[in-house]
Amino acid sequence: MDFNPSCKDKKKTIDQSVLLCCKIFISESRNRGVLDAIEQAARLNPETVIVNKFEDRAYNRVRYTLVSYVVQDITGSAIYSPLQQAVLAMVEAAFGAINLELHSGTHPRLGVVDDILFHPLARASLDEAAWLAKAVAADIANRFQVPVFLYAAAHPTGKALDTIRRELGYYRPNFMGNQWAGWTMPDMLLEKPDEGPSEVSRARGITMIGARPWVALYNIPILSTDFSVARRIARMVSARGGGLPTVQTLGLVHGEDSTEIACMLLEPNQIGADRVQNQVEMLAAEEGVEVEKGYFTDFSPEMIIEKYMNLTSAQRD
């Protein structure tokens, strides 16, 4: 998009708190030079701010949380956000530095840029988040020839992320029974992507892009190396396994001496971390294993807005 709003328009939009948050998950956390290059690419656009980063060396995965504003036309429709170019710059840097065939970790993934999720913040709408998700999806597919699958509000029928992942074999480890390494899927996808080719680059893989209301990510360490125990607990906690509604979970190996329950809380105001923690502790006790207090991998929406405002204010000063 070539629209360049005036400084007056930008200031007005920021004052109105029409903000979008982007979480971008990249399959790398062990190579500092690669992460530095990705972060440098994001900083080329000063109107997009990295408000948080979560690295996990065992998973070999990093998540960046970015925020910027949305410009609307006189009808109130979104027409521009600096997030678009910042995300594309990070994607380009990631594709240029990471080869999925050489990647391994204990967290599932299907691509170098595995997942990009947009959330509305403050006065922004879900429609605006979906608009940007679809624009970024088209850009990535066209520029990098990567298959892109849309999910949630970005998908025409609201298809769920876990449904798409299950269809593509995301949850099936392909190394040592509990890890993911290289690329083992067919080079031609059986499922047609929403954007981009059906032929997959083994070096880049597939990208998922979605938009939805806020999702909380909460991980609970299990003091056991028994992967099967972690998987059983994860399944019994999840909505799919008959556990807590709107909770999705993964039981994963996490380092040499522990496992972990990675939880996605789709409606954290309804089913929160405390309830999930209690359920995991109860099930772990039945299995005879101990559990540590869980941790969020990102700030709350309110804290993210506050950090964004503080950082942009410091830049202006």
Side-chain angles (χ1 to χ4, degrees):
M1 294 184 181
D2 298 326
F3 181 79
N4 289 306
S6 68
C7 292
K8 181 179 178 182
D9 287 336
K10 292 177 183 178
K11 183 65 166 62
K12 180 179 179 183
T13 303
I14 293 172
D15 287 345
Q16 290 177 337
S17 297
V18 183
L19 302 174
L20 291 178
C21 172
C22 175
K23 294 178 181 177
I24 177 168
F25 298 81
I26 295 174
S27 299
E28 178 60 73
S29 67
R30 300 169 185 168
N31 188 321
R32 175 54 50 191
V34 169
L35 299 187
D36 287 345
I38 293 169
E39 291 160 29
Q40 184 60 37
R43 293 191 182 103
L44 294 175
N45 188 325
E47 293 176 305
T48 296
V49 177
I50 297 177
V51 296
N52 199 14
K53 175 174 72 169
F54 181 75
E55 302 173 63
D56 195 302
R57 289 184 62 83
Y59 292 158
N60 202 6
R61 184 175 177 89
V62 63
R63 189 222 59 245
Y64 294 100
T65 303
L66 296 84
V67 177
S68 195
Y69 59 85
V70 178
V71 172
Q72 301 168 330
D73 64 17
I74 58 173
T75 69
S77 298
I79 54 173
Y80 171 80
S81 174
L83 264 178
Q84 184 170 357
Q85 293 307 316
V87 170
L88 288 174
M90 295 177 76
V91 168
E92 183 172 23
F95 284 149
I98 303 167
N99 183 340
L100 193 65
E101 287 195 287
L102 304 178
H103 177 273
S104 64
T106 60
H107 193 289
R109 79 291 184 275
L110 287 171
V112 166
V113 182
D114 194 52
D115 184 19
I116 302 176
L117 174 58
F118 292 92
H119 298 296
L121 292 177
R123 294 176 58 186
S125 69
L126 186 56
D127 284 345
E128 287 165 329
W131 159 79
L132 188 53
K134 288 182 279 191
V136 168
D139 285 342
I140 290 174
N142 294 330
R143 187 179 301 185
F144 305 111
Q145 290 301 294
V146 169
V148 177
F149 288 85
L150 298 172
Y151 66 90
H155 187 273
T157 64
K159 194 171 184 178
L161 175 61
D162 65 322
T163 299
I164 301 169
R165 284 175 162 174
R166 196 164 285 109
E167 290 171 352
L168 293 172
Y170 177 87
Y171 299 107
R172 292 194 295 270
N174 64 6
F175 182 63
M176 296 178 63
N178 57 21
Q179 298 183 38
W180 286 260
W183 178 260
T184 60
M185 288 179 61
D187 291 342
M188 291 296 296
L189 295 172
L190 299 178
E191 301 288 335
K192 188 179 186 308
D194 297 289
E195 297 282 356
S198 293
E199 185 174 0
V200 186
S201 160
R202 289 172 170 259
R204 294 179 174 180
I206 297 166
T207 297
M208 308 286 171
I209 301 182
R212 59 166 301 123
W214 189 259
V215 172
L217 303 177
Y218 184 74
N219 294 350
I220 304 175
I222 308 293
L223 300 181
S224 169
T225 58
D226 191 333
F227 179 52
S228 63
V229 168
R231 293 190 69 177
R232 278 199 302 273
I233 294 172
R235 182 164 184 82
M236 287 187 285
V237 170
S238 71
R240 180 176 171 81
L244 298 174
T246 71
V247 173
Q248 297 178 359
T249 58
L250 280 174
L252 300 169
V253 170
H254 195 249
E256 296 181 357
D257 57 359
S258 67
T259 49
E260 189 167 77
I261 310 297
C263 307
M264 185 180 295
L265 313 183
L266 300 182
E267 295 185 18
N269 292 331
Q270 302 297 321
I271 306 290
D274 288 345
R275 190 167 170 189
V276 175
Q277 180 79 35
N278 291 338
Q279 188 78 356
V280 169
E281 289 177 357
M282 181 189 73
L283 293 168
E286 294 174 1
E287 293 278 357
V289 298
E290 295 184 359
V291 173
E292 289 187 346
K293 177 66 175 176
Y295 59 94
F296 289 102
T297 68
D298 209 346
F299 301 126
S300 68
E302 295 77 17
M303 287 182 65
I304 285 174
I305 293 171
E306 181 180 353
K307 286 184 173 292
Y308 169 77
M309 292 301 183
N310 290 340
L311 288 166
T312 53
S313 176
Q315 286 176 352
R316 289 194 295 269
D317 295 342

